[in-house]
Amino acid sequence: MKERLVLLPGWAMHSGVWGDFATQLSEHFTLTLIDQLPSFEHLDAVADSIVALLDDEPFYLLGWSLGGNAALNIAQRYPSRVKGVILLATNPCFVAKETWAGMPLAMFRAFAQQVHLNAPATLQSFLAVQCQGVDNGEALLNTFKVHFASKDVLPLTDLMQNLALLEKVDLRDTLAHLTCPITAIFSDNDALVPVNIGQAMQELQPNLQLHIVEKAGHIPFMAKTAVCVNIICAFIDGIREN
């Protein structure tokens, strides 16, 4: 019987962007694709609304970027439901703090202002930023744009509310006290999440399995699909064997 794996997309993204990654995962797992992260003022409400979409069967969570923050929150709030968590390019505290690497607050707020003024153009630029430094970057960006255009984007009010959520989210304590198995996949050249966050997360949560993928930007599941699928399969197989 295949394990159930729930996929949570990143900010402004949707289930259509998973592409071949979801196809390959479906060979090993029963997938539930959350189409878009719901928009709420608090992450607890995001978590509750996602879990409300699921049946009572226990599941694994895979969250990309902001979706990873939602996955951590769900694992904290529903420990009996979550069998394990996979984080893709996720920073539990996205905006930098004095002792924690992340996006500088001024840069984050400038980006939010750009979204507010011209969301369509800013989102296209955001796709390009996520592809920075990846192998076959131009071709991959074109594929990314096609996948992104396959579904409607959230309304501007929802995009802004989820940005406000991302600005204030700090799940370092949640990560430190997580009881389920957890693995994290980072890229060595992610323009949005510093790679050294992985080691900092491991110091908070020694049981975290850390994987660094080369030249995968902010989209390791697209840039290094087979590598990520193999990591995920090995992680879940290891849990099943114990």
Side-chain angles (χ1 to χ4, degrees), residues 2 11 15 17 37 41 63 73 99 113 136 144 152 191 241:
K2 291 182 178 180
W11 174 81
S15 59
V17 303
L37 291 182
E41 184 177 351
N73 188 268
T99 59
Q113 179 68 7
N136 303 314
F144 197 6
D152 291 335
E241 292 171 1

Side-chain angles (χ1 to χ4, degrees), residues 165-185:
L165 188 64
L166 188 58
E167 177 181 329
K168 67 184 179 182
V169 69
D170 186 347
L171 296 176
R172 290 177 289 178
D173 187 64
T174 295
L175 173 66
H177 292 92
L178 203 65
T179 57
C180 68
I182 181 169
T183 193
I185 302 172

Side-chain angles (χ1 to χ4, degrees), residues 90-169:
T90 294
N91 188 341
C93 183
F94 187 79
V95 173
K97 307 292 184 184
E98 287 187 9
T99 59
W100 193 263
M103 181 176 288
L105 179 59
M107 183 183 297
F108 183 91
R109 289 183 172 172
F111 174 77
Q113 179 68 7
Q114 291 172 358
V115 174
H116 180 72
L117 294 174
N118 190 340
T122 305
L123 288 173
Q124 289 301 307
S125 299
F126 181 56
L127 297 181
V129 168
Q130 295 181 76
C131 292
Q132 284 183 8
V134 304
D135 293 329
N136 303 314
E138 184 175 352
L140 197 61
L141 176 56
N142 289 334
T143 299
F144 197 6
K145 288 181 176 180
V146 170
H147 290 334
F148 182 68
S150 67
K151 291 177 179 285
D152 291 335
V153 180
L154 286 171
L156 179 61
T157 52
D158 291 350
L159 292 176
M160 298 306 298
Q161 184 155 285
N162 281 348
L163 276 178
L165 188 64
L166 188 58
E167 177 181 329
K168 67 184 179 182
V169 69

Side-chain angles (χ1 to χ4, degrees), residues 24-47:
Q24 292 191 32
L25 285 176
S26 68
E27 297 175 5
H28 306 278
F29 310 104
T30 299
L31 298 187
T32 297
L33 306 182
I34 301 302
D35 189 36
Q36 293 175 316
L37 291 182
S39 176
F40 290 100
E41 184 177 351
H42 299 290
L43 197 58
D44 287 352
V46 175

Side-chain angles (χ1 to χ4, degrees), residues 172-235:
R172 290 177 289 178
D173 187 64
T174 295
L175 173 66
H177 292 92
L178 203 65
T179 57
C180 68
I182 181 169
T183 193
I185 302 172
F186 293 92
S187 171
D188 64 354
N189 66 347
D190 191 332
L192 298 173
V193 176
V195 66
N196 60 355
I197 283 300
Q199 183 177 351
M201 290 168 62
Q202 210 167 35
E203 291 173 0
L204 287 176
Q205 175 52 264
N207 293 324
L208 180 143
Q209 298 177 20
L210 179 61
H211 303 273
I212 308 297
V213 180
E214 295 183 351
K215 297 181 180 180
H218 193 60
I219 50 169
F221 66 93
M222 286 184 65
K224 304 289 181 178
T225 302
V227 173
C228 290
V229 170
N230 288 338
I231 290 171
I232 294 162
C233 288
F235 171 67

